[in-house]
Amino acid sequence: MTDVREATIPVAIVGAGPVGLTLAALLSARGVNACLIERRSGASDEPKAISIDDESLRTYQHAGLLPELLRIVVPGTGTRYFDADGRPLFQAGAEFPGRLTLPFKNPFAQPDLERVLYSAVERDDAIQLRLATEVTGLSQGEDGVRLELRSDGVDQSLCAAYVVGADGGRSTIRAAAGIGMTGRALRDDWLVVDTVGDTHRERHGMHYGIPERPMVIVPGLAGRCRYEFRLFAGEGVAGERPEFSLIAKLLSPHRTIHENEIERAVVYRFNALNADTYRSGRLMLAGDAAHMMPPFAGQGLNSGIRDVENLAWKLAAVIQGQMPEQILDSYTDERRPQAGAVVASSARLGRVVMSTSRRVAELRDRRVRAALVTDEGRDFFENMRYRPANRFERGLLIPGQGVGSPLAQPWVFDMQAAKVHPLDIACGPDWTLIGVDVQAEEWPHVETVRAVSRAHAVHAVLGEELPRRLAGIDLIADLDGSLRRELLPNAGKFMLIRPDRVIAAIFGVNDIAGVHLVIDDWFVSDRAIDTPSSSIYREA
């Protein structure tokens, strides 16, 4: 039986795991309808990802879901590393805890996350959810993509302007687009066990670099705990169900386990792969469909959430006619190198921290201890300098010192709202132009940049005096030194901030013409830009 139904939707998302669900929520927050297509019949009960960082929580803040997410996480502090003999070596965390006004690295259970996201999607009229539906084919044209679907034996068609494959490592969309992956599959077998009824209460993960049995322990909420053990020949094979006797043996130094206290136990082999491109015409990839990495840096899901934070506002701007379609090329330009660096770093961390060579492990420990007695070495390890920064070298930005990184989110005093809240709330969801302790008479000169980008204007006060109030420009003031710490290097300049809070440009009034020339290609102009008029900036 064939029942072909034509439908048109701005964005079809294939895969309703955490990454696809997050993308749908972000698009909805920007007024874009989406259709989620998932081959499963509902949320997964498997606790796969277990760590969500402050950058990802910021994304859920942008999607309007932060209060619900905070209920399911342990407010984490980082990771403690142990040496070859099981002794504490160092603890890694945030250089400035609370830099984003959010906890830094937070254990959680993926089923809890999926329940929150499914609940949000199901009550959102802007999102269609098609469960138990499989993509059987697709064809891409100049104006859209036609997806062939099958649900309960019934064939259907769906037409979408854009399709995002968030459908995992065996991505149907990646295969249909003919996109290859670069990297390798790792040969080590790891036993991953998720337990309940655990007595661990630490707010940090624990990585044990014991060569005879490398392992990871991550305590969770309400007695949950993740254990990961390196397996050796004859102990287990990837894809096969592990024996309970093996699980009990490996857990015995840490706890007594009963079969009904095991939520999941599986033997894995990890991959270190990155897609050759994240975009092919109207098809895009996100999450494991775009990159796969070992878990040792806790960045698998977080990298997928960074993907959709980067992609959602761009898709929305193109669909709503604010930006030209070619800006979607910046998705690959920005995300692929950064995700690739995280893949390589995760694999390297696994080789070094989880080495099974006693000689290598002891050499590692000696070098780390020697580094920790220096300021530079302590900074490198304790502030996680070994983790690649979320920074772009290419894309929608004007290169310069400090450009390409996400702006921090300190608490500020918003003088318009007469409220204290995080910087993102004061700036709003779209482009923002921040004048950092600039002179009031400089604002008219940047009107061309502001008009092209339709940016919300914000004057940031770092010093002891308030400037005169200007109509149409919001005023924020430093509270505790954190806004000053972040913005002081750019005092006297303007900062153009993208909707994903990435710094697109930093410039002075003498640079206006060059900045305007570059960003003019980023936007669709629907009106002439008037010559700056001082009347626009009259004193309020």
Side-chain angles (χ1 to χ4, degrees), residues 334-347:
E334 293 173 359
R335 284 299 305 142
R336 185 176 184 275
Q338 202 277 333
V342 175
V343 170
S345 174
S346 298

Side-chain angles (χ1 to χ4, degrees), residues 287-415:
D288 285 356
H291 42 71
M292 289 177 275
M293 63 193 71
F296 305 114
Q299 290 298 297
L301 174 60
N302 292 295
S303 292
I305 294 174
R306 289 193 193 101
D307 292 342
V308 295
E309 172 77 284
N310 186 286
L311 181 59
W313 69 269
K314 294 175 182 176
L315 277 173
V318 171
I319 289 165
Q320 294 167 348
Q322 299 164 2
M323 304 183 84
E325 188 175 69
Q326 59 263 31
I327 65 99
L328 295 176
D329 287 336
S330 68
Y331 176 52
T332 294
D333 291 342
E334 293 173 359
R335 284 299 305 142
R336 185 176 184 275
Q338 202 277 333
V342 175
V343 170
S345 174
S346 298
R348 184 168 57 250
L349 195 63
R351 288 195 304 272
V352 174
V353 177
M354 300 299 166
S355 174
T356 58
S357 165
R358 169 62 59 171
R359 181 184 62 82
V360 170
E362 290 179 346
L363 176 61
R364 170 202 67 206
D365 296 343
R366 286 196 298 271
R367 289 184 173 177
V368 170
R369 284 198 169 90
L372 288 171
V373 301
T374 69
D375 291 340
E376 182 180 7
R378 192 162 51 253
D379 176 64
F380 178 80
F381 287 106
E382 294 182 352
N383 294 324
M384 284 192 172
R385 302 294 184 200
Y386 50 83
R387 188 175 74 170
N390 184 17
R391 184 176 186 276
F392 310 138
E393 302 290 342
R394 300 172 53 204
L396 298 183
L397 50 88
I398 300 177
Q401 183 69 31
V403 171
S405 298
L407 184 64
Q409 186 184 209
W411 290 93
V412 299
F413 189 94
D414 183 339
M415 299 198 67

Side-chain angles (χ1 to χ4, degrees), residues 366-492:
R366 286 196 298 271
R367 289 184 173 177
V368 170
R369 284 198 169 90
L372 288 171
V373 301
T374 69
D375 291 340
E376 182 180 7
R378 192 162 51 253
D379 176 64
F380 178 80
F381 287 106
E382 294 182 352
N383 294 324
M384 284 192 172
R385 302 294 184 200
Y386 50 83
R387 188 175 74 170
N390 184 17
R391 184 176 186 276
F392 310 138
E393 302 290 342
R394 300 172 53 204
L396 298 183
L397 50 88
I398 300 177
Q401 183 69 31
V403 171
S405 298
L407 184 64
Q409 186 184 209
W411 290 93
V412 299
F413 189 94
D414 183 339
M415 299 198 67
Q416 270 60 39
K419 289 182 178 180
V420 173
H421 46 210
L423 179 60
D424 289 5
I425 304 299
C427 289
D430 299 312
W431 289 79
T432 305
L433 185 61
I434 301 178
V436 185
D437 266 348
V438 297
Q439 299 300 311
E441 56 268 21
E442 291 181 304
W443 275 103
H445 296 284
V446 299
E447 176 59 16
T448 53
V449 172
R450 182 185 174 191
V452 167
S453 61
R454 302 171 181 85
H456 174 206
V458 174
H459 190 118
V461 180
L462 307 184
E464 301 293 329
E465 294 184 2
L466 291 175
R468 72 175 192 264
R469 298 285 291 271
L470 301 173
I473 299 174
D474 288 351
L475 200 62
I476 60 172
D478 185 40
L479 285 176
D480 58 3
S482 56
L483 183 67
R484 178 180 176 83
R485 182 187 68 224
E486 295 294 335
L487 299 190
L488 187 60
N490 301 312

